[in-house]
Amino acid sequence: MNDVVALADITEAHRSFIGGKAWHLGRLAAAGLPVPAGVVVTTGAFSQALDDWGWTERAQSSGELLALGEEIAALDCPSALLRTLNAAVCGIPGPFAVRSSALDEDGVHKSFAGQYRTELGVSAADLGGALMRCWASLYGAQALAYGGDDLPKPGGMAVVVQRMVQPHAAGVLFTVNPLSGSWREMTVEAVYGLADPLVSGEVTPQWYLVRRPRRAPRPVQRLLSRVRLQVLQQDLPPLTTQLVGAGSGVRTVPVPPSRQSRPALDRRALFRVCRMGLKVEALSGAPQDVEWAIDAAGTVFLLQARPITRQATPHVRDDVLWTRRFIGERWPMPATPLGWSLMRPVLEHFIAYPRTQQRYLGGGPPLKLVNSRPYVNVTAFRHLTFKLPGAPPPRFMMELVPPAEEAEWQSRFAGMPDVSVYLSYLRETLVEARWSRFAFNPLTNPSEWEAFAKRLRDVLPVWSEPCATPAAAVARVVEQQAWVTEYVGIHLCSLLFANLAYQLLESSLTEALPERAAALMTALAVCPPGNRTLQTNAALWTLAQQATPSQLQRLAEGKLPRGLFRDALDAFLETYGHRSMASWELFTPRWRGEPSQMAPLLQAFSGKEMAEPLQRAGEQDVAFARALSEVLVNTTGAQRGRLHQLIDSTRTYLLLRENQRFDFDRLLAAQQRTLLDLGAVFADRGALTQDRDVSLLTWDEVRRLAEGTIDSAAIRDVVATRAEQRERDSEQMPPVFLQGDDSVGAPVSGPRLQGLGISGGRATGPVVIVRHPSEASRVPQGSILVAHAVDPGWTPIFGKVAGIVLELGSRLSHGAVVAREYGLPAVVNLDGITSVLTEGQIVTVDGTRGIVWTHGAVD
């Protein structure tokens, strides 16, 4: 086997000696695709060099590899190999691009994208040095960490040397949509100049979403690659810099101002890139990640192609999968023993299917606490998830599996669920008449809520009266538990119908007005007037305008001010005092009980630069009216009627599920008062030190203490132990996913962080990491709020920020609803983001695509 082979001469016999990258390029070049001329230095040359240096044994020892890489980088290229390489490229004009092509690179299961060395603008005189640096990168720390326990084969790297294209624009094409898993869509990212800053995540590229022909047998697919393509969305941020060739290297230069905001690709060039990608896919027989470039003459070049990485099939796993997604938003603070012992049976009443759990899903319980943080057993979704041919998998199911499993589902063409699990759920539902537990009719769910809310308003004054005896207080808590259960039965269906309406509206808009669908969703998927969360924020803003800095400082110190501000504060608490920072946790402090926790929010609102929340909501109302008019003008007949109905349904249910939480807070505040009254009785008896210690008991212990059937001294010891444990738990944040008892996945990393976009738009600003709303006063105007999760009580902070990034969230979370009301780009489901980003670091939040671009750490 020759040490150096021309790309054009590659055959099947070379496959095991040239690595995935070179093999793919050789096949595509042989098929007549526009691959720049080049050669490959085979793995045989590297293996021979290791033998000549006496380092083959070192290359098989994991403890030697890092040092080996450093020593290889410092060596000169073997002279005989260098002469052969120079002779092979003598007919190819420089400068050159020198890229790794390792045996484990560009595979189906691991791509090793970005792990090995690439050198651009290499002169003929430096080819030997570039080759050695590429070889050395096989043993670099980053690549070894990515490979894990799988050590590279000694000398297992070929190197591609090609003519470097001097592009007008360059970028990356995915022949299927990597974000949704749709095989009807392809995505293109583009920048001016060379694509290296895009690939490394250093710049925010321009982006295009293109509808492609349906998948078909290979001969038909080649024909379909010529048919008309359709742009569904495009996002064109300004491109201010570009990487260009400069003599024997590359350098970054400004993009002329006249071109910065123009598309790097016009429609004709975009479609040429897409059609080339479809040809690559047809030849390869699988979805492709394609790197391309276009020169000043408009010629398209194919620089690289790799299969889109796939992972193991998720639903074959038998271990129990747990997550804090969704439930973590509702308990951003640790759960208390009493609050959880009351709420857990309510939730299990709706989600526990014990026979199915035991037979198919590992037998785990539906819920559990880890370090006082609630987890949900979502093993079922590994069995229930499906993917219709070429269509995206169900979005809400994808949010309940780890990122690696989500990526695998999205890359597959189709996937069947485990029908036996579906049938088991159906059997339990029918046997137990489960539908009777829910307000399941979408036509009557709103009216059932209104009736519930009216009855709740009538009973709340009765509950405000103190109970005569501990037994009466226990009976009241039992009564309140029945109300909580009824609420959850209505609320869960409201959430479901809001989700369905949202997704149907999104898909219908994409079908009717594809190029405007994303922008229209941002404007249309908002609450109509009457959002109680926004009204709360507006009332806070008004209250803040009536306070002096000294009065707010006194309030922060727990001293209630006097005068007109005190009167305004009392009036505010009469209406909104039941609100809190983590409302599903029964014992979270309510504003009425601890007004001092409002001080940071009021201080944040008191700045002159902050607009009134209702003013921002009014601007959103104007945007909604314009978007609705656009939809009605550009659609006709049944399509217009269907869209109008979906818009109304989406807004109705968004408002409903948002306002339900406002009244749920009232219900839980009343239950908290009843339990604290019991705590006061227990404190008087000497069983507790203070009334709030009751939160550290379980409901069973509270009832036994009320009956006098439990020892008070034992209870005091239990409370002390649990208080210490809760203090320790509050300092820990367990992972988002657990597999059994082990964490799954790792925190996001890199300059380009992919999450879930929940509110469209883009904003750039400095990071402010907020771990509790008490830090609201230090949030700078125009910053990017980074937090673990948010509850409605956090949303006053939204008025000061330019964008939002959260570890936990969903498209219909409270944070998402309010972010869209305020027109703020927001990205969620970025594991560990509060530890990954740095206070003051500049980031760009792209809420449309769900990406956070980092622009370097703070000095």
Side-chain angles (χ1 to χ4, degrees):
M1 179 65 63
N2 295 332
D3 286 345
V4 180
V5 181
L7 281 176
D9 295 336
I10 287 175
T11 67
E12 182 70 31
H14 298 95
R15 185 169 188 173
S16 60
F17 299 96
I18 60 175
K21 184 180 299 179
W23 166 248
H24 292 309
L25 286 174
R27 289 184 63 214
L28 297 172
L33 288 169
V35 177
V39 302
V40 184
V41 180
T42 69
T43 58
F46 192 2
S47 297
Q48 184 61 52
L50 286 175
D51 281 343
D52 293 343
W53 297 325
W55 289 348
T56 300
E57 287 190 15
R58 291 183 65 194
Q60 300 176 60
S61 171
S62 60
E64 291 279 347
L65 296 184
L66 281 174
L68 180 62
E70 294 173 357
E71 292 176 38
I72 290 173
L75 293 176
D76 291 330
C77 180
S79 56
L81 176 60
L82 184 57
R83 287 194 299 270
T84 301
L85 176 58
N86 284 331
V89 301
C90 66
I92 302 174
F96 299 95
V98 181
R99 292 187 171 97
S100 64
S101 182
L103 294 180
D104 53 9
E105 195 171 0
D106 289 355
V108 173
H109 301 291
K110 282 188 178 180
S111 71
F112 277 85
Q115 306 302 314
Y116 299 130
R117 185 90 173 191
T118 291
E119 299 217 1
L120 302 175
V122 178
S123 66
D126 192 34
L127 280 179
L131 172 65
M132 299 301 288
R133 291 188 289 274
C134 280
W135 278 355
S137 70
L138 182 65
Y139 306 118
Q142 180 175 308
L144 292 174
Y146 181 90
D149 294 333
D150 299 326
L151 299 182
K153 180 180 178 181
M157 176 180 283
V159 176
V160 178
V161 179
Q162 289 177 280
R163 176 174 74 88
M164 191 181 84
V165 177
Q166 301 285 356
H168 160 76
V172 174
L173 158 73
F174 289 90
T175 61
V176 299
N177 188 337
L179 296 181
S180 69
S182 173
W183 288 51
R184 287 298 319 280
E185 299 167 352
M186 52 205 317
T187 64
V188 179
E189 294 182 345
V191 295
Y192 287 121
L194 295 163
D196 194 64
L198 183 161
V199 175
S200 63
E202 296 173 14
V203 300
T204 305
Q206 296 182 347
W207 176 80
Y208 306 83
L209 179 66
V210 180
R211 176 167 290 169
R212 51 168 286 174
R214 293 186 181 276
R215 191 168 188 246
R218 188 174 299 181
V220 179
Q221 189 66 30
R222 292 180 182 178
L223 177 62
L224 289 176
S225 68
R226 301 177 180 274
V227 305
R228 182 175 180 271
L229 301 165
Q230 184 180 19
V231 176
L232 299 179
Q233 296 177 35
Q234 62 181 26
D235 185 27
L236 306 176
L239 300 172
T240 58
T241 61
Q242 59 183 326
L243 187 69
V244 299
S248 59
V250 294
R251 63 190 178 98
T252 300
V253 300
V255 174
S258 61
R259 292 173 54 205
Q260 290 181 2
S261 297
R262 292 169 55 190
L265 291 174
D266 60 28
R267 262 329 135 79
R268 183 178 178 186
L270 172 64
F271 290 161
R272 290 174 68 191
V273 169
C274 290
R275 291 193 176 100
M276 181 184 70
L278 291 173
K279 291 177 183 177
V280 174
E281 182 187 89
L283 285 166
S284 303
Q288 297 288 302
D289 169 359
V290 177
E291 189 176 329
W292 55 269
I294 294 180
D295 65 14
T299 303
V300 179
F301 292 93
L302 173 58
L303 305 182
Q304 188 173 324
R306 64 167 68 94
I308 294 177
T309 305
R310 298 187 184 188
Q311 304 293 334
T313 303
H315 64 267
V316 301
R317 302 193 65 100
D318 295 326
D319 42 8
V320 179
L321 178 66
W322 303 89
T323 187
R324 288 192 298 114
R325 286 192 178 169
F326 290 107
I327 201 167
E329 301 168 52
R330 290 155 175 79
W331 271 274
M333 309 302 172
T336 59
L338 182 51
W340 183 244
S341 67
L342 286 167
M343 194 61 69
R344 176 174 180 163
V346 172
L347 295 176
E348 290 186 344
H349 175 71
F350 296 100
I351 69 172
Y353 282 77
R355 293 181 180 84
T356 302
Q357 291 286 136
Q358 187 63 42
R359 186 172 182 182
Y360 295 104
L361 308 177
L367 299 163
K368 72 174 180 178
L369 286 184
V370 176
N371 296 335
S372 299
R373 311 284 178 164
Y375 278 80
V376 181
N377 184 338
V378 290
T379 311
F381 290 96
R382 284 176 160 165
H383 299 260
L384 302 180
T385 300
F386 60 90
K387 194 174 191 295
L388 298 176
R395 180 186 297 158
F396 76 94
M397 289 185 175
M398 290 295 95
E399 294 179 30
L400 292 172
V401 297
E405 293 184 22
E406 178 183 1
E408 191 281 336
W409 273 104
Q410 289 169 342
S411 69
R412 302 171 72 192
F413 180 63
M416 291 294 293
D418 188 336
V419 177
S420 61
V421 177
Y422 269 103
L423 292 176
S424 181
Y425 275 118
L426 179 61
R427 189 179 302 113
E428 281 195 73
T429 298
L430 294 175
V431 169
E432 299 175 13
R434 288 267 182 151
W435 56 85
S436 62
R437 305 181 186 187
F438 299 91
F440 63 88
N441 188 330
L443 300 179
T444 60
N445 182 271
S447 60
E448 290 192 52
W449 166 253
E450 291 302 325
F452 174 89
K454 182 178 183 303
R455 289 189 289 114
L456 179 63
R457 287 190 289 270
D458 291 339
V459 77
L460 284 173
V462 177
W463 288 345
S464 66
E465 298 296 326
C467 294
T469 64
V474 168
R476 179 176 290 178
V477 173
V478 172
E479 177 189 0
Q480 291 164 338
Q481 280 292 95
W483 282 83
V484 171
T485 302
E486 185 179 357
Y487 166 84
V488 174
I490 299 172
H491 182 64
L492 286 178
C493 288
S494 297
L495 289 176
L496 173 64
F497 300 146
N499 202 316
L500 291 174
Y502 184 98
Q503 294 193 38
L504 287 171
L505 175 59
E506 187 176 45
S507 61
S508 297
L509 280 174
T510 300
E511 189 67 32
L513 301 167
E515 295 193 37
R516 293 284 298 150
L520 290 171
M521 276 300 295
T522 298
L524 294 173
V526 295
C527 294
N531 185 329
R532 298 306 299 270
T533 300
L534 294 186
Q535 290 175 359
T536 304
N537 296 347
L540 272 171
W541 184 90
T542 301
L543 182 62
Q545 311 316 305
Q546 302 176 59
T548 64
S550 61
Q551 288 175 319
L552 293 181
Q553 183 57 40
R554 284 180 58 82
L555 184 62
E557 295 167 357
K559 305 170 185 175
L560 291 178
R562 300 184 181 88
L564 295 177
F565 175 63
R566 172 62 183 273
D567 294 339
L569 176 62
D570 289 342
F572 174 89
L573 292 175
E574 185 65 29
T575 304
Y576 303 106
H578 60 284
R579 301 238 79 169
S580 69
M581 305 306 181
S583 55
W584 278 70
E585 167 44 50
L586 185 56
F587 284 94
T588 186
R590 306 281 162 175
W591 290 349
R592 180 180 290 108
E594 294 186 21
S596 61
Q597 64 182 312
M598 295 168 51
L601 300 176
L602 293 170
Q603 289 167 340
F605 271 127
S606 63
K608 298 292 185 183
E609 72 278 7
M610 188 169 179
E612 180 184 4
L614 288 183
Q615 177 184 333
R616 300 186 69 162
E619 294 169 357
Q620 186 61 47
D621 289 341
V622 172
F624 166 79
R626 289 174 179 165
L628 178 62
S629 176
E630 181 179 344
V631 169
L632 298 180
V633 166
N634 291 286
T635 56
T636 58
Q639 186 182 63
R640 175 193 290 173
R642 183 171 65 255
L643 281 168
H644 206 169
Q645 184 176 15
L646 285 172
I647 292 168
D648 287 344
S649 296
T650 301
R651 283 163 57 82
T652 295
Y653 273 106
L654 287 178
L655 181 65
L656 187 65
R657 52 97 64 219
E658 191 69 23
N659 287 351
Q660 284 172 351
R661 284 289 295 277
F662 186 87
D663 283 325
F664 186 48
D665 274 356
R666 285 177 167 165
L667 171 54
L668 293 188
Q671 190 172 29
Q672 183 192 81
R673 283 197 303 273
T674 305
L675 290 165
L676 288 176
D677 287 346
L678 266 174
V681 172
F682 298 155
D684 288 342
R685 294 178 178 177
L688 301 176
T689 303
Q690 57 181 336
D691 58 359
R692 292 198 66 84
D693 286 347
V694 73
S695 68
L696 296 169
L697 304 177
T698 66
W699 175 233
D700 180 64
E701 290 165 344
V702 168
R703 287 186 301 176
R704 290 169 61 195
L705 198 56
E707 295 166 356
T709 59
I710 191 171
D711 181 64
S712 295
I715 283 293
R716 286 195 297 272
D717 292 340
V718 166
V719 166
T721 300
R722 289 176 183 168
E724 293 174 0
Q725 182 62 50
R726 184 171 166 76
E727 185 68 25
R728 290 193 295 269
D729 289 346
S730 66
E731 298 173 357
Q732 302 182 55
M733 189 64 71
V736 175
F737 288 98
L738 291 173
Q739 207 137 265
D741 295 323
D742 300 324
S743 63
V744 181
V748 293
S749 61
R752 171 178 174 151
L753 309 176
Q754 182 67 62
L756 173 70
I758 60 171
S759 181
R762 186 187 304 103
T764 299
V767 165
V768 57
I769 298 173
V770 178
R771 305 190 185 279
H772 190 274
S774 60
E775 302 171 1
S777 58
R778 71 174 185 83
V779 175
Q781 188 76 22
S783 57
I784 304 298
L785 171 65
V786 178
H788 176 66
V790 298
D791 200 70
W794 288 63
T795 58
I797 306 174
F798 286 16
K800 295 195 72 173
V801 301
I804 301 163
V805 179
L806 304 174
E807 290 191 23
L808 298 176
S810 66
R811 283 183 172 88
L812 295 181
S813 63
H814 294 278
V817 173
V818 177
R820 289 194 292 271
E821 298 283 351
Y822 282 3
L824 298 174
V827 178
V828 300
N829 291 350
L830 290 165
D831 295 356
I833 194 66
T834 54
S835 300
V836 170
L837 297 181
T838 307
E839 191 83 11
Q841 181 178 4
I842 304 300
V843 299
T844 296
V845 180
D846 185 337
T848 303
R849 299 166 58 196
I851 299 174
V852 176
W853 306 86
T854 63
H855 304 304
V858 176
D859 294 332

